[in-house]
Amino acid sequence: MSVLVTGGAGYIGSHTAVELLNAGKDIVIIDDFSNSKPEVLENIKKITGKDFKFYEMDYADREKLEKVFEENNIDSVMNFAGFKAVGESTKKPIEYYINNVSGALVLFDTMRKYNVKKFVFSSSATVYGPENPIPYKEDMPVGTASSPYGSTKIFIEQILKDIYKADNEWSVALLRYFNPIGSHESGLLGEEPQGIPNNLMPYIVRVACGQLKELSVFGGDYDTPDGTCIRDYLHVVDLAKGHIKALDKLNEGNGVYIYNLGTGVGYSVLDVVNTFMKATGKDVPYRITERRAGDLPAFYADATKAEKELGWKAEKSLEDMCRDSWHYIEVSRKNG
Ligand code: WQD
C-alpha cells in the first residue's frame, strides 16, 4: 500500500515525503517541477536512505493520473500540488481556480474510480477570514477569503465535506496550516521561491545573505505589543509530522476531521527578525513601512484539538525555525 504525494518535490510536500518514509510508509510522488527542482527527490532519498516511485506530470492530467493509480497500490492521497502565492492569485484567479480546484476535482474523481477514499488536504488558516476572533478554533464558521488563493481553500474544504456527505466511506483530514517556515535540519530541503519573495522568512533570509538590501516591515502601528503583525509560525518538519498523525487518524475510521496545525503561540514580525539575528548571528537591516493590503493584525491557532485527538504538538522553537531556514541557504550555497 502506498501514499500518493502530489507536489512531493515542493516545500511542504518534500518535508512530508521524508516523514512518511521515516514512518515506514511506501510513497509515490508526482510533481511537474513548476515550483520545485529534481534534485529535491535525490535529497529526500539521501535523508531517508529510502527509494520511491516518481512521475513527472501535472497532477491534473487525468490520463496520466489514472496510469499512476493503475500501476501502484495506492490507498491514500496527500495533495501538495496547489498554487500558494496569495498576491499572484489576485492577478491570476483563473489559473488558481483551474489548478487548485479543477485539479483537485480530477484527483477526487480519479480516487473514486480506483476506490481510494482517504485524503489529507492542505488547507490554511486563511479560511477563518477576518470575522473570527483569535485564537482560531476548528468549530468556528469559515469566514470570507481575502484572495482567490484563500477561496480555493474554502471551496475545496466544502467540496470534500459534500463528498463525504454523499459517500461515508471517505475519510478526509482538513489540515489548516498557520505560517510554516524553517527547513529540514540537514539543510538539504527548504523553501526556494522564484523571484522576490512575498513571505516573511524567505525575504529575511535573502536580506541576511545580502541578496536584498533591507526588509520592509509592513506596518508598525497595529494594535499589538510592538505595533507589528502577529502570526503563528511553525516549523515545517512539525507540520509534516502532523500529516502522518492525520493519516493514522483516517485509518481509524471514516469522517471529515478538521485540525489546526500551528503552535498556538503568536510572534510579531520584529520577534521573528530579532530571533533570526540572534540564532544566526547575521544582520537583518529593516525599515518599518506602510501596511500591506489585506494583512490581518494578528492571528494564531488554538492548537489543542490536534494535541488531544492526534497526539500532535509542534515541538520546535522559533529559534529552531530561524536557524534551520538559514542553514538551508548555507548548505545550498556550498553545494552550488
Ligand atoms: C507574515 C507577516 C506580513 C513580508 C500567507 C498566507 C497564508 C499562508 C502563509 C501559504 C505579515 C509581514 C511579510 C515582508 C513583512 N499561505 N511581512 N515584510 O501573510 O501571514 O500568510 O502565507 O501558503 O495563507 O496568507 O505570511 O509570510 O507573507 O507574512 O513585514 O517582506 O510578515 O505583513 O505580518 P501571511 P507572510
Side-chain angles (χ1 to χ4, degrees):
M1 290 297 189
S2 302
V3 183
L4 176 63
V5 184
T6 69
Y11 174 48
I12 297 173
S14 60
H15 285 88
T16 305
V18 164
E19 296 308 320
L20 283 163
L21 291 166
N22 284 344
K25 315 263 185 204
D26 285 325
I27 64 170
V28 174
I29 292 184
I30 287 177
D31 207 297
D32 64 359
F33 300 127
S34 58
N35 192 25
S36 59
K37 291 190 178 142
E39 302 92 86
V40 171
L41 301 174
E42 291 316 307
N43 288 340
I44 295 171
K45 291 177 192 166
K46 228 184 257 173
I47 291 167
T48 60
K50 292 184 181 161
D51 205 357
F52 50 83
K53 224 163 157 183
F54 170 71
Y55 294 83
E56 183 174 347
M57 56 174 271
D58 177 351
Y59 87 115
D61 184 328
R62 190 184 289 263
E63 226 170 274
K64 289 186 183 156
L65 193 59
E66 291 196 356
K67 210 160 160 265
V68 173
F69 277 83
E70 253 159 49
E71 291 177 356
N72 299 281
N73 196 2
I74 290 163
D75 73 339
S76 48
V77 179
M78 296 190 182
N79 179 14
F80 303 99
F83 293 159
K84 60 164 192 172
V86 176
E88 183 185 62
S89 78
T90 62
K91 305 212 168 65
K92 297 180 169 177
I94 296 176
E95 282 82 354
Y96 269 69
Y97 288 120
I98 289 177
N99 182 66
N100 290 16
V101 183
S102 305
L105 283 168
V106 170
L107 180 59
F108 302 154
D109 197 20
T110 309
M111 288 174 66
R112 176 177 59 173
K113 180 166 176 186
Y114 291 89
N115 205 31
V116 177
K117 297 181 174 178
K118 290 193 185 77
F119 185 70
V120 178
F121 178 53
S122 304
S123 191
S124 165
T126 192
V127 305
Y128 290 104
E131 294 89 350
N132 282 300
I134 46 172
Y136 292 152
K137 281 178 84 105
E138 291 85 345
D139 58 5
M140 289 174 175
V142 163
T144 314
S146 57
S147 68
Y149 160 78
S151 297
T152 67
K153 297 296 175 191
I154 292 175
F155 293 166
I156 298 167
E157 283 204 0
Q158 187 59 48
I159 288 167
L160 287 163
K161 287 175 190 165
D162 290 340
I163 290 175
Y164 176 72
K165 237 186 256 168
D167 178 358
N168 288 176
E169 285 180 6
W170 280 75
S171 204
V172 173
L174 310 179
L175 303 182
R176 294 176 176 164
Y177 305 171
F178 281 69
N179 287 56
I181 58 172
S183 328
H184 192 267
E185 62 182 6
S186 62
L188 292 173
L189 301 176
E191 192 175 15
E192 232 165 320
Q194 285 155 9
I196 295 179
N198 294 304
N199 296 113
L200 180 62
M201 185 53 82
Y203 205 106
I204 288 179
V205 163
R206 298 257 181 113
V207 172
C209 66
Q211 276 178 18
L212 293 169
K213 202 170 110 258
E214 66 178 9
L215 171 74
S216 297
V217 174
F218 299 139
D221 56 352
Y222 285 100
D223 185 16
T224 59
D226 67 14
T228 66
C229 290
I230 289 177
R231 295 289 180 272
D232 184 337
Y233 297 94
L234 82 155
H235 197 293
V236 66
V237 170
D238 278 332
L239 178 73
K241 287 179 176 164
H243 291 71
I244 317 306
K245 297 282 191 181
L247 189 61
D248 291 344
K249 185 80 186 170
L250 299 190
N251 287 323
E252 277 171 24
N254 302 342
V256 176
Y257 302 96
I258 307 180
Y259 297 108
N260 287 339
L261 296 184
T263 62
V265 179
Y267 286 106
S268 74
V269 177
L270 292 183
D271 287 335
V272 177
V273 174
N274 290 327
T275 306
F276 184 93
M277 292 199 279
K278 198 169 135 230
T280 64
K282 289 277 152 188
D283 195 26
V284 180
Y286 67 85
R287 195 161 50 90
I288 310 264
T289 61
E290 292 289 290
R291 293 181 176 195
R292 181 172 71 177
D295 273 340
L296 295 177
F299 63 82
Y300 48 90
D302 179 324
T304 51
K305 189 178 176 209
E307 183 173 5
K308 217 161 84 197
E309 293 189 15
L310 299 180
W312 176 86
K313 197 173 185 290
E315 282 164 0
K316 292 180 186 272
S317 66
L318 184 59
E319 215 165 325
D320 296 331
M321 301 176 213
C322 293
R323 191 199 52 233
D324 292 343
S325 291
W326 178 244
H327 184 49
Y328 172 65
I329 297 301
E330 286 184 314
V331 171
S332 310
R333 276 164 143 197
K334 218 186 293 158
N335 296 342

